[in-house]
Amino acid sequence: MNSSLAQPLSAQGFDTGAKIYANLGTPALVEHALQKGEGRLTKDGALLVDTGKFTGRSVKDKFVVRDAVTEDTINWGTINQPMTPEHWANLKADFLAELKGQQELYVADLFGGSQPEYRVNVRVINQMAWHNLFIRTLLVRPTAEELAEFTPEYTIINLPSFKADPARHGSRSDTVIAVNLTEKLILIGNTEYSGEMKKGVFGLLNFLLPAQGVMPMHCSANIGADGKSAIFFGLSGTGKTTLSADASRTLIGDDEHGWSDTAIFNFEGGCYAKMINLSAEGEPEIYATTKMFGTILENVTMDEATRELDFTDDSKTENTRGAYPIEYIPNTSEKNLGPPPSNVILLTADAFGVLPPIARLTPDQAMYHFLSGYTAKVAGTEIGVTEPTATFSTCFGAAFMPRHPSVYGNLLKKRIAEGGATCWLVNTGWSGGKASEPGIKRMPIKATRALLNAALDGSLNDVEFRKDPNFGFEVPVAVPGVDTKLLDPRAAWADPEEYDRTAQKLVQLFVDNFAQFDAYVDQGVKDSAPGLQAA
């Protein structure tokens, strides 16, 4: 791969005396990371790294510069926090001073987006070799010919050594992620968590693409043998990566996509999967990547003597991760592209044990549940806390959406209506009671896959459906190969009246959460709200 830059850093106004390692390939970057003590090799050759005190994104330390471009286009609030142009100017000056003093820098020129008409040219400048390997793995890698003519449009500078000053820079702490959409520059300081770069590009595309009529999505996507594609929305832990990595279907991507007039296209060229409790039996395709050279494993525990990995150990974090090129998964789309989807899947992990394993949605119901972005977590270990915790993350990715949620919701509804996609809500959570109760188990993955396969091949449309009394969507009554009791959550509970009470609580949580969107949706979506039942 070309190891020079078509446009030098100086042409961007970045002055540094550092030795520049430009567009290095995987072997060289792994070698640099090992030489610098940034990571270690596992028994099977993956690169194991530790991300320091940050094992996830620092959401409260992310800011967007508020100026003429962003004033009326950004949905300002706790997610999209404003930074003044004055604070930005100070931050940028100090960041570039830090950049100037570096001894070595790694630069990668990459694409955000696989469909040429909608991709953006992104240059990433790193202090750490493994960070450069990570972003090179996760974004779309240009050909040698494309690199020879590459002109960066957006630039990310990631300096873990930089410590912000809240008084001078307008930050919350000494960690900062600052986005300037006018200057097309993202600055990341004082965090080694690599996901900040990946999500920085995702946020950028989420801002740019709606203006072009393209729906940006936090979802996975794959294609069946019949040539029809499906997309899977879902928050972390709901099965987005697991269910899309199906050997019988062609993977387009596991996390970030755009829906244009002509295609579903992956924003990335790699995958970033959760590793906690990973097993060869449960997720064979993903497990196999942990034994491949070039895979990066973050915060996974390793036996120092044998170099064997322990995926069950969450002592560092539950958010252990693996980054690998998408081609490490068998049967992937050559160009990370597929046709517009025939099926839209909304994934949730319902710890209340109320939702059925699958339900068919109308376009209005799909928009309602998309804007809701519901999942639920198991009750915590705190004494006396026995109720599951509901999580509503708008558009199944509120943390990455710079525009108002209604922009994305209306785009999705328009795309579904124009393309005639069938929409499904799939619950990968618990059945027969609340997750916190003894003996209550998570939905069997075999049942989930059987129901999904029936939905995707069209056979599920031929079975008998009932209308759910709480949520109003359609639920299959019987499906070959699936326990009928599983399809009726109320019947699976030992105490049906307790189910009714719990269902009413969940319905109310939905209604209360959706109040924020009432002014932005039409009557059809409002009428799709779950109805409160008499006690």
Side-chain angles (χ1 to χ4, degrees):
M1 187 64 74
N2 181 16
S3 60
S4 62
L5 295 172
Q7 185 182 98
L9 297 187
S10 57
Q12 297 180 269
F14 303 146
D15 180 21
T16 179
K19 182 172 183 179
I20 305 297
Y21 294 103
N23 295 313
L24 295 185
T26 296
L29 286 169
V30 170
E31 197 171 59
H32 277 247
L34 294 173
Q35 288 171 349
K36 296 175 72 173
E38 295 176 0
R40 295 164 293 161
L41 286 183
T42 67
K43 175 177 174 288
D44 296 299
L47 180 66
L48 180 67
V49 298
D50 189 303
T51 63
K53 68 176 181 177
F54 291 101
T55 58
R57 288 176 299 103
S58 190
V59 179
K60 294 180 180 178
D61 291 308
K62 183 181 177 184
F63 298 86
V64 179
V65 178
R66 193 168 194 158
D67 58 19
V69 169
T70 58
E71 177 66 46
D72 299 322
T73 51
I74 297 294
N75 183 37
W76 301 108
T78 55
I79 297 296
N80 299 304
Q81 302 178 99
M83 175 178 279
T84 67
E86 294 74 22
H87 280 137
W88 165 263
N90 291 340
L91 178 67
K92 181 182 175 183
D94 293 347
F95 229 89
L96 294 187
E98 183 93 1
L99 186 76
K100 186 175 184 178
Q102 297 303 302
Q103 299 298 308
E104 295 179 327
L105 288 170
Y106 297 85
V107 181
D109 288 334
L110 302 157
F111 296 133
S114 298
Q115 188 168 1
E117 305 96 292
Y118 301 113
R119 70 189 182 195
V120 293
N121 292 9
V122 181
R123 170 168 286 175
V124 186
I125 304 171
N126 297 109
Q127 271 184 321
M128 303 182 77
W130 87 260
H131 274 174
N132 205 244
L133 174 61
F134 172 89
I135 201 63
R136 187 181 176 279
T137 301
L138 264 292
L139 293 188
V140 179
R141 297 166 287 283
T143 63
E145 293 74 21
E146 288 168 334
L147 280 177
E149 300 178 350
F150 192 97
T151 300
E153 186 178 3
Y154 292 86
T155 301
I156 298 173
I157 305 176
N158 187 357
L159 304 177
S161 66
F162 182 88
K163 292 189 182 299
D165 177 351
R168 178 169 165 76
H169 302 136
S171 58
R172 182 187 70 101
S173 68
D174 55 5
T175 296
V176 68
I177 301 96
V179 180
N180 190 315
L181 291 164
T182 302
E183 295 188 20
K184 300 182 177 181
L185 182 60
I186 298 174
L187 304 177
I188 303 172
N190 194 43
T191 172
E192 292 182 31
Y193 183 66
S194 59
E196 298 289 6
M197 295 180 288
K198 165 186 158 69
K199 291 306 183 188
V201 176
F202 187 40
L204 178 64
L205 289 165
N206 281 330
F207 178 77
L208 296 172
L209 293 181
Q212 302 174 67
V214 176
M215 172 69 185
M217 304 174 292
H218 185 215
C219 71
S220 57
N222 61 25
I223 311 169
D226 56 4
K228 295 180 179 180
S229 68
I231 55 176
F232 302 76
F233 290 98
L235 298 174
S236 181
T238 58
K240 183 160 51 72
T241 298
T242 301
L243 293 171
S244 62
D246 183 333
S248 68
R249 296 176 64 83
T250 300
L251 181 68
I252 302 172
D254 82 324
D255 196 40
E256 302 171 3
H257 294 82
W259 184 348
S260 70
D261 288 339
T262 58
I264 288 292
F265 63 98
N266 194 348
F267 289 168
E268 303 181 301
C271 301
Y272 192 40
K274 291 192 84 165
M275 294 284 120
I276 196 69
N277 295 322
L278 183 69
S279 69
E281 297 74 30
E283 300 171 78
E285 293 85 8
I286 298 172
Y287 184 83
T289 69
T290 68
K291 298 180 178 295
M292 297 181 186
F293 177 79
T295 291
I296 306 165
L297 299 173
E298 296 179 356
N299 303 313
V300 176
T301 300
M302 180 174 74
D303 184 292
E304 292 301 325
T306 65
R307 299 283 173 125
E308 293 278 1
L309 299 168
D310 181 359
F311 293 110
T312 66
D313 189 340
D314 62 358
S315 57
K316 168 79 175 180
T317 176
E318 278 198 10
N319 193 36
T320 53
R321 292 274 182 169
Y324 47 88
I326 192 169
E327 58 265 27
Y328 282 16
I329 296 289
N331 196 19
T332 54
S333 168
E334 186 181 347
K335 294 185 177 179
N336 295 343
L337 291 163
S342 299
N343 286 280
V344 174
I345 315 293
L346 307 183
L347 297 168
T348 183
D350 178 28
F352 288 91
V354 167
L355 296 179
I358 195 165
R360 188 167 59 190
L361 307 176
T362 66
D364 283 328
Q365 289 172 335
M367 183 173 174
Y368 184 94
H369 284 276
F370 177 71
L371 286 173
S372 297
Y374 166 73
T375 195
K377 299 173 183 175
V378 183
T381 54
E382 185 179 336
I383 295 174
V385 179
T386 57
E387 283 290 307
T389 303
T391 299
F392 292 96
S393 183
T394 304
C395 307
F396 295 96
F400 322 121
M401 303 296 178
R403 296 180 184 269
H404 192 275
S406 61
V407 171
Y408 307 103
N410 285 317
L411 256 176
L412 179 70
K413 186 180 175 184
K414 179 174 180 284
R415 286 288 176 201
I416 291 170
E418 290 176 351
T422 306
C423 304
W424 307 90
L425 182 70
V426 172
N427 174 24
T428 61
W430 286 259
S431 178
K434 298 173 190 173
S436 49
E437 295 173 357
I440 302 302
K441 295 181 179 179
R442 195 153 181 184
M443 209 74 70
I445 185 121
K446 284 186 178 180
T448 300
R449 284 204 183 275
L451 290 167
L452 258 181
N453 290 339
L456 298 179
D457 68 20
S459 62
L460 194 57
N461 287 312
D462 299 329
V463 307
E464 180 187 353
F465 283 81
R466 65 177 176 84
K467 187 174 181 180
D468 185 271
N470 297 298
F471 285 84
F473 42 49
E474 294 181 313
V475 181
V477 174
V479 178
V482 178
D483 184 354
T484 304
K485 199 172 183 181
L486 199 65
L487 296 169
D488 184 356
R490 189 176 189 270
W493 280 53
D495 183 349
E497 290 184 356
E498 178 58 22
Y499 170 87
D500 292 338
R501 288 189 288 271
T502 305
Q504 287 171 42
K505 286 180 184 177
L506 183 57
V507 164
Q508 190 62 55
L509 288 172
F510 266 89
V511 170
D512 292 347
N513 173 73
F514 203 83
Q516 63 185 304
F517 305 121
D518 278 344
Y520 300 96
V521 299
D522 60 31
Q523 194 59 46
V525 177
K526 291 178 185 177
D527 292 343
S528 298
L532 293 172
Q533 307 299 305

